[in-house]
Amino acid sequence: MNLVLFGPPGAGKGTQARLIQDRHHLELIATGEILRQEIKKKTPLGLQVEHIMAEGKYPSDDIILAVFKKRLSQVKDKGVILDGLPRTMNQAKKIAETFKELGHEIDAVIQLTVDEDKLIERLSSRVTCEECGRPYPKDFPFQRVEACSKCGSRSFSRRPDDEPEAVRTRFKVYNEQTKPLLNYYAKQGLLKVINGMKSIEEVNQEIEALLEEMQVLTRKSGCLYSAQDI
Ligand code: ADP
Ligand code: ZN
């Protein structure tokens, strides 16, 4: 199963991606997180994208696609969750081609819908684990959290692109370049809309219900094939 988590900055993609990953043993491909690690390590790639990302702009499609392909080649035939990509039509088409070449496809694009006021509130209070990128909200009892529940790291920080000016740029770029993809995926019957305004647990339950429904459908069509075979 290959999933895309789709939505504006702060919609809850990273949060939900990590929950789905834990439960379904899918590999996470979060290009933003991979690039943030490159920045932290001061690699040539990191230095190249650091300023672009801090401003809230997108690195070039070539960079994103190279990062995606490299990560995909590491996960072999396991299913993946794409968090934060594709973000442009060109990326979406190239990613579809890449899956096709490998005999795979995207099974669903899960759109998390959240009002803009709420997005701003979440981003202005987001703190992320410096090691694995797991996001935590402001109202999380940080004083009592000694270590990241995912990787055990004890260092947390605010992302530079969560500063108000970068957030404004990110919304603008999202609306111009990324939002049009919704129509592209809807036409293919892949788009599943989830209300991302609810609590993290409730959103997760809705996604789980959706995945369950999809798996039931897959099993049913599997039966149909075996009946024909007989
Ligand atoms: P994205 O990856 O879409 O940019 P994140 O998963 O990082 O979004 O979530 C943005 C912020 O909002 C984080 O601080 C996260 O902990 C918090 N958050 C995510 N989902 C919810 C939710 N359903 N309700 C409240 N806060 C949430
Ligand atoms: Zn962590």
Side-chain angles (χ1 to χ4, degrees):
M1 182 167 62
N2 298 304
L3 303 172
V4 173
L5 279 177
F6 196 96
K13 302 182 294 293
T15 304
Q16 296 300 330
R18 283 166 177 78
L19 296 173
I20 303 170
Q21 179 197 21
D22 289 347
R23 194 159 169 163
H24 296 272
H25 310 293
L26 298 171
E27 292 287 334
L28 180 62
I29 305 188
T31 35
E33 195 40 48
I34 295 170
L35 291 172
R36 276 188 288 279
Q37 292 300 327
E38 298 282 328
I39 293 171
K40 200 175 150 202
K41 288 187 258 168
K42 299 193 186 307
T43 63
L45 175 59
L47 295 173
Q48 194 183 347
V49 297
E50 185 169 14
H51 295 290
I52 304 170
M53 284 179 65
E55 279 178 37
K57 295 181 184 154
Y58 294 164
S60 73
D61 285 349
D62 286 345
I63 289 178
I64 298 295
L65 289 164
V67 169
F68 162 71
K69 285 188 182 176
K70 183 172 171 207
R71 180 83 181 92
L72 191 67
S73 71
Q74 293 164 347
V75 308
K76 306 270 166 11
D77 268 346
K78 278 184 85 177
V80 295
I81 310 172
L82 304 189
D83 165 16
L85 81 155
R87 292 200 188 186
T88 66
M89 193 59 88
N90 180 34
Q91 287 176 21
K93 289 184 175 158
K94 296 268 170 57
I95 286 171
E97 276 168 26
T98 307
F99 275 123
K100 205 170 167 196
E101 281 162 16
L102 297 169
H104 297 296
E105 60 184 1
I106 292 171
D107 298 285
V109 175
I110 301 173
Q111 180 196 7
L112 300 174
T113 57
V114 178
D115 293 349
E116 197 159 316
D117 289 353
K118 192 76 161 178
L119 294 172
I120 291 169
E121 184 190 309
R122 285 185 187 175
L123 291 173
S124 61
S125 58
R126 170 163 68 181
V127 189
T128 49
C129 166
E130 285 187 11
E131 287 305 318
C132 76
R134 185 175 189 133
Y136 291 91
K138 171 184 73 183
D139 50 5
F140 204 77
F142 255 98
Q143 299 76 356
R144 286 186 278 124
V145 176
E146 289 182 358
C148 170
S149 57
K150 177 86 189 161
C151 73
S153 157
R154 287 162 196 270
S155 36
F156 299 91
S157 63
R158 258 177 75 68
R159 285 170 39 175
D161 60 347
D162 281 345
E163 298 303 330
E165 199 176 327
V167 167
R168 273 195 294 277
T169 306
R170 286 162 74 197
F171 282 134
K172 188 168 176 286
V173 177
Y174 172 82
N175 284 324
E176 286 170 4
Q177 299 193 41
T178 308
K179 225 175 168 181
L181 297 186
L182 288 173
N183 200 19
Y184 167 78
Y185 285 124
K187 278 189 189 153
Q188 297 173 49
L190 292 176
L191 195 64
K192 316 281 175 193
V193 185
I194 298 276
N195 178 2
M197 296 284 284
K198 297 186 183 170
S199 73
I200 292 175
E201 293 71 28
E202 284 170 314
V203 174
N204 188 242
Q205 280 164 13
E206 287 196 21
I207 295 178
E208 286 302 330
L210 174 83
L211 296 179
E212 175 64 24
E213 199 179 301
M214 282 171 52
Q215 277 159 4
V216 169
L217 286 174
T218 316
R219 278 199 292 273
K220 273 192 188 151
S221 58
C223 287
L224 217 70
Y225 274 112
S226 48
Q228 280 170 352
D229 288 346
I230 299 164

